[in-house]
Amino acid sequence: MSLQDLKIKTFEEYQYQYQKSVNQPELFWDEIASHFTWKKKWNKVLSWDFEKLDVKWFEGATLNITENIFERNLPTLKDTPAIIWEPNSTDTENKTLTYQELYEAVNQCANALKALGVGKGDRVCIYLPMVSELAISVLACARIGAVHSVVFAGFSATSLSDRIIDAEAKLVITADGLRRGAKTVALKEVVDEAVKNTPSVEKVLVLNVLNENIQFNPSLDVKWEEIVPQQSTECTAEEMSSEDYLFILYTSGSTGKPKGVVHTCGGYMVYTAYSFTNVYQYTPGDIHWCTADIGWITGHSYIIYGPLLSGATTVMFEGIPTYPDAGRFWEIVEKYKVNQFLTAPTAIRSLMAFGEEPVEKYNLSSLKVIGTVGEPINEEAWHWYAKHVGKDVCPVVDNWWQTETGGIMISGIGNLSPQKPTFAGYPLPGIQPVLLNQSGEEIQEHEVEGYLCVKFPWPSMIRTTYGDHQRCIDTYFSNYKGYYFTGDGAKRDADGMYRIIGRIDDVINVSGHRFGTAEIENAINEDPQIIESAVVGYPHPIKGQSIYAFVVSDHPIDKQDEARKSILETVTNIIGKIALPEKIQFVSGLPKTRSGKIMRRILRKVAEGEIESLGDTSTLLDPSVVEEIVKNRI
Ligand code: PRX
């Protein structure tokens, strides 16, 4: 059975399938899952309990996700490109791996992992640039049943180390360095620093990307070139239970350190392929390009798993949208005749700033569907994208989802569904979103706003947070009993379409990257001159949101520039450059209630420049701090 049979072809069919998925969810998913290759079929489609967070899909079934990518597709797609890798620089040669070549490369890497002592259930931390070996490493882990934990290669040594320790990773896969635009970053140095205090790490597998002379530690380091290419190109796929862990991906929440979101083999496979085929209306032969980094969930689901399960050709781009110039994305679309293109609003907005010339210069007529993901898209960016990239003929599919949801939840389906600028639209079949009011009751009406929750399980949903199940329950399933709480606020219009407003918790979305305010505050507070800080997000024309930090020092700061520089260095060292506050204001105190709680609402207003509507400040311990904060705001 072909996954193409899963493709919905009309809006009426979508409505029919949606109703079926609500009325008979088990039958609905049973039929969809039957299109995949399983070693053993399930006894039960679904069992679930949101209170204990015990959700099982396709229980009793066994499979290997890579067999569904390779063994299943090879008979027809052996010589079809699986990955087209486009380098950072136009001077470097690109690379294409056919399904057969990728299969062999994955098997070699899988055998190397085994030779390094990695087995089923072991965690492997992957800290690599956007080179094809990143996708190969991910799939090699899946092949042998090791659990991959990809860490975005912009995170600092401390962040990397935290993630390695939390996952108790046995192996780290990295490279000497990475290229990003005109810059290079010495990745291996970051890893050397990170693994100083990670007792679980037995080996570090190092890929040569830059030909840099790296410091080589013979007791730990193994060169990729010296172990991978020698391996056999055959490797039997490990038989995995449907609920065995496939991967961990760390993401930020309102409190504490980033959590390791766990996804499992069976459900994740079914849902990423199903959502990919439908949202992008994938047709065999289509070239799919998602510009995300594989360090984030979008790259996992819609560069690697969704497209490759479906037999698509997926483009992997090493670089950035503005290097060597602002036409780079469009040049690549023209070069590979990309049919489906997916990027983030922040990229669209940054390219808009360069005007129309760079985009009008290229032939984009191959595009059929264009997508946006990661943050709310504003009206202006939506129209620019639809007009200049989609030429007013491609549907814009606005994909709302999260690391925790594993796959797209609310989105247009190709050109089938009605589209409304800035609205993600309708839920995909199998997804039952609801809006709750402040008392946690479901709002039934249309033309309302509320807290976005999901009331029924779906196959690719989060199963746990690694090593701390209770934390997962507390974070997502306790605010509103019986619901998965997304952390987002949303609007539902008269037609039942959803528009995501943004986070209603203490999570900031900067250029589509998620950070918890507490995480950034903790980093700032590590700076020796800072005793306390409060961080809020405020609207930014390109990044969507930016970070505003209010900081309290234990001594008068006379050289503010120097102090700011030091704070920025501290945040860079602890989290990474991607989390830098844009504005840092020194304050003598933070607005706190008598019980000691920081009133972020006030700080948010100050950061947004809405100082006329600060609201009631009478409950503050010391209302005068607000006056000072307002007076000196940046
Ligand atoms: O606030 C929502 C926003 O990004 C958050 C999830 O971030 P992350 O787990 O990093 O995953 C990003 C890629 C799936 C959500 O809680 N978000 C994601 N997509 C959209 C969005 N906000 C509005 N519209 C979207 N299409």
Side-chain angles (χ1 to χ4, degrees), residues 127 152 154-161 190 194 571-576:
Y127 186 72
F152 175 63
F155 279 115
S156 69
T158 310
S159 289
L160 175 61
S161 177
V190 181
V571 176
T572 305
N573 290 338
I574 294 178
I575 307 178

Side-chain angles (χ1 to χ4, degrees), residues 298 374-376 398-403 488 500 503 509 514:
T298 310
E375 37 169 336
D398 183 347
N399 306 162
W400 173 78
W401 58 297
Q402 309 177 296
T403 306
D488 280 320
I500 313 305
R503 302 292 301 203
N509 191 330
R514 251 171 92 165

Side-chain angles (χ1 to χ4, degrees), residues 324-388:
D325 59 54
R328 187 73 168 118
F329 271 5
W330 322 123
E331 181 211 339
I332 298 172
V333 170
E334 178 183 285
K335 181 168 167 190
Y336 299 119
K337 299 195 171 49
V338 170
N339 304 110
Q340 308 151 353
F341 177 75
L342 170 59
T343 196
T346 191
I348 299 168
R349 288 188 295 258
S350 74
L351 293 176
M352 277 167 72
F354 292 89
E356 290 147 27
E357 196 260 326
V359 56
E360 296 297 345
K361 210 162 101 187
Y362 295 96
N363 180 353
L364 307 184
S365 61
S366 57
L367 289 174
K368 297 200 271 194
V369 181
I370 57 174
T372 156
V373 66
E375 37 169 336
I377 185 163
N378 51 309
E379 195 124 11
E380 202 191 344
W382 194 98
H383 284 292
W384 189 89
Y385 193 39
K387 181 170 175 205
H388 296 290

